[in-house]
């Protein structure tokens, strides 16, 4: 059935309440409250919103004096989404009060984005025992610590970008207390490397991503969660055995420090079974690299320049190598030639050559 539009007709008023709630959920709470002036029908619609988006809580606290008084105006008992964002430190003393209040209202999605440089360490203990939480994002220039007790049975995605240095025991506590976790994105400050842990429970695949200005590293395992502890620190990497590793050295990494980083990474990954190495530096001296023996490596893939001596040096360090794929690169965006070899007893059999 079609509704003929008439001049001056208020089509928005014809919308059902559920649709209006959905539209208002994209607004900040300040903007949503302002819609109460539109008409009698809209006067209390904002009190039924299932989401709460606050750009700065200072005006609210100035008018209502407490979070509980403000939330007492809401006619819905559940707040499924909560977003607190503030570009200065005026929300410093209210953040935990907001979090505790929405946790009691069975919140499912929480996004906290604060800009603070103070020394107060946030822990949000009530948030980390919230059984209804599905996604969590915490970011800002403030110290952060994972509480002692973690029980997040429904948490699937956690983005944590803060000015902190979390130990492995605290991260392990978080992962073990979040059995449904699929993605843990950790950036511990704004200038160091970034760590992502991707957990695929259905396929029992775990991927750990390390990113820095020098390299990108992906380590994948399909066994158990003890693999994560071995990926957290370089000195534990030799414990990683049946894993797939992809290491890409960035175009800008030219100096001796970068060579040392690459050497340390390869030394730590000496027991893996699969290795893909791509080096896109303009200047590189492979003779500086201290290459280990890869005693367990059976599949090696190289993405290097034609004149790179690693084509010969690295396979010679792999006594159990079965498959060698060589990709000759002019630059990082194109492969000039791809050759694949099957190896038995140190003898290479040329299987495939592709020139795009």
């Amino acid at each position: 059935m079609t509704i003929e539009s008439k001049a001056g007709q208020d089509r928005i008023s014809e919308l059902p309440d559920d649709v209006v709630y959905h539209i208002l959920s994209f607004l900040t709470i300040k903007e949503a409250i302002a819609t109460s002036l539109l008409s009698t029908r809209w006067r209390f619609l904002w009190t039924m919103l299932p989401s709460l988006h606050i750009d700065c809580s200072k005006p609210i606290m100035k008018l209502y004096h407490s979070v509980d008084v403000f939330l007492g105006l809401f006619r819905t008992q559940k707040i499924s989404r909560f977003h607190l964002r503030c570009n200065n430190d005026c929300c410093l003393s209210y953040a935990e009060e907001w979090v505790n209040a929405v946790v009691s209202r069975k919140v499912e999605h929480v996004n906290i984005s604060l800009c603070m440089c103070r020394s107060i360490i946030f822990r949000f203990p009530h948030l980390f025992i919230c059984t209804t939480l599905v996604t969590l994002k915490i970011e800002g220039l403030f110290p952060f610590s994972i509480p002692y007790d973690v029980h997040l049975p429904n948490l699937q995605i956690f983005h944590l970008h803060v000015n902190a240095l979390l130990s492995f025991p605290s991260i392990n506590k978080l992962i073990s207390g979040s059995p449904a976790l699929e993605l843990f994105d950790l950036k511990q400050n704004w200038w160091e490397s970034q760590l992502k842990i991707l957990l695929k429970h259905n396929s029992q695949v775990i991927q750990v991503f390390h990113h820095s200005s020098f390299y990108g590293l992906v380590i994948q395992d399909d066994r158990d969660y003890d693999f994560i502890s071995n990926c957290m620190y370089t000195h534990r990497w030799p414990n990683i055995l049946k894993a797939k590793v992809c290491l890409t050295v960035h175009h800008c990494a030219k100096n001796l420090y970068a060579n040392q980083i690459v050497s340390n990474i390869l030394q730590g990954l000496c027991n893996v079974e699969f290795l893909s190495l791509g080096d896109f530096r303009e200047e590189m001296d492979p003779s500086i690299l201290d290459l280990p023996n890869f005693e367990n490596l059976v599949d090696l893939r190289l993405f290097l320049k034609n004149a790179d001596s690693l084509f010969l040096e690295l396979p010679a360090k792999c006594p159990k190598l079965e498959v060698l794929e060589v990709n000759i690169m002019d630059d990082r965006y194109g492969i000039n030639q791809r050759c694949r070899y099957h190896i038995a007893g140190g003898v290479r059999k040329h299987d495939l050559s592709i020139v795009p």
Side-chain angles (χ1 to χ4, degrees):
M1 181 176 64
T2 61
I3 301 176
E4 296 182 359
S5 60
K6 301 178 181 179
Q9 184 179 13
D10 182 7
R11 302 298 300 274
I12 295 181
S13 297
E14 298 177 358
L15 297 175
D17 287 348
D18 290 344
V19 176
V20 175
Y21 297 151
H22 180 70
I23 295 173
L24 293 181
S25 67
F26 292 97
L27 304 178
T28 65
I29 191 62
K30 180 180 178 181
E31 295 167 335
I33 293 175
T35 64
S36 63
L37 302 176
L38 295 177
S39 68
T40 303
R41 181 202 175 197
W42 286 70
R43 185 177 180 182
F44 298 109
L45 285 182
W46 67 272
T47 66
M48 296 296 293
L49 293 182
S51 62
L52 185 57
H53 183 173
I54 301 173
D55 267 351
C56 178
S57 60
K58 187 176 180 179
I60 295 176
M61 301 304 292
K62 184 177 180 180
L63 184 61
Y64 297 98
H65 306 296
S66 78
V67 172
D68 289 337
V69 171
F70 174 71
L71 292 182
L73 301 175
F74 279 69
R75 299 182 178 183
T76 177
Q77 294 301 311
K78 181 177 180 179
I79 296 178
S80 60
R81 293 183 178 274
F82 173 68
H83 185 182
L84 175 61
R85 181 177 63 186
C86 188
N87 293 325
N88 50 58
D89 61 0
C90 62
C91 290
L92 179 65
S93 51
Y94 307 128
E96 287 203 20
E97 189 177 353
W98 280 111
V99 168
N100 295 342
V102 296
V103 166
S104 67
R105 290 177 177 249
K106 301 181 179 180
V107 68
E108 297 176 1
H109 308 278
V110 172
N111 187 337
I112 301 174
S113 179
L114 304 175
C115 183
M116 304 175 187
C117 298
R118 300 193 180 185
S119 59
I120 297 177
I121 299 178
F122 280 95
R123 290 183 175 86
F124 302 119
H126 290 84
L127 185 62
F128 281 84
I129 55 173
C130 180
T131 58
T132 58
L133 197 62
V134 177
T135 65
L136 175 59
K137 184 175 183 179
I138 301 176
E139 61 180 4
L141 297 175
F142 54 86
F144 182 82
S145 176
I146 295 177
Y148 181 77
D149 293 322
V150 177
H151 179 57
L152 301 169
N154 291 302
L155 184 66
Q156 298 176 8
I157 299 174
F158 184 18
H159 295 269
L160 181 60
H161 296 182
V162 291
N163 185 25
L165 185 61
L166 301 179
S167 65
F168 168 71
S170 63
I171 294 176
N172 185 43
K173 178 172 56 180
L174 170 68
I175 294 175
S176 61
S178 310
L181 190 65
E182 298 177 358
L183 174 61
F184 178 40
D185 180 4
L186 172 65
K187 191 172 183 179
Q188 303 196 71
N189 52 50
W190 302 112
W191 55 89
E192 292 291 341
S193 61
Q194 183 173 357
L195 171 68
K196 290 186 180 181
I197 299 176
L198 180 63
L199 309 167
K200 299 181 179 179
H201 293 277
N202 293 334
S203 60
Q204 297 298 314
V205 171
I206 305 173
Q207 290 180 333
V208 177
F209 300 77
H210 293 260
H211 296 279
S212 77
S213 58
F214 292 114
Y215 66 89
L217 177 64
V218 181
I219 308 175
Q220 176 177 306
D221 190 88
D222 58 1
R223 294 183 299 159
D224 53 50
Y225 291 101
D226 291 338
F227 160 77
I228 298 176
S229 64
N230 297 328
C231 288
M232 291 299 299
Y233 302 109
T234 304
H235 66 272
R236 295 186 182 180
W237 288 352
N239 295 329
I240 301 174
L241 302 176
K242 296 182 178 181
K244 294 183 178 181
V245 176
C246 296
L247 172 62
T248 303
V249 183
H250 294 169
H251 189 70
C252 60
K254 304 177 183 180
N255 55 31
L256 294 177
Y257 179 64
N259 285 336
Q260 187 61 50
I261 290 177
V262 175
S263 294
N264 291 341
I265 292 175
L266 293 178
Q267 290 282 347
L269 298 172
C270 61
N271 290 318
V272 300
E273 291 188 340
F274 174 97
L275 174 63
S276 173
L277 173 62
D279 198 319
F280 304 117
R281 289 176 289 178
E282 290 180 348
E283 301 174 9
M284 185 185 76
D285 184 3
S287 63
I288 300 177
L289 297 178
D290 184 14
L291 296 176
N293 289 324
F294 292 87
E295 300 292 342
N296 298 318
L297 196 66
V298 295
D299 195 331
L300 174 62
R301 302 181 186 182
L302 299 174
F303 297 79
L304 303 168
K305 291 184 178 181
N306 192 20
D308 200 324
S309 62
L310 281 178
F311 281 131
L312 297 176
E313 294 181 15
L314 198 51
K317 297 281 187 176
C318 312
K320 295 182 181 179
L321 195 61
E322 297 177 2
V323 177
L324 171 63
E325 183 178 299
V326 175
N327 298 275
I328 300 174
M329 315 282 290
D330 265 351
D331 54 52
R332 66 183 302 174
Y333 303 108
I335 298 175
N336 295 92
Q337 187 178 20
R338 177 184 288 116
C339 299
R340 188 176 178 88
Y341 305 89
H342 279 189
I343 300 176
V347 179
R348 299 193 305 184
K349 179 181 178 182
H350 188 193
D351 293 325
L352 178 65
S353 178
I354 300 175
V355 182

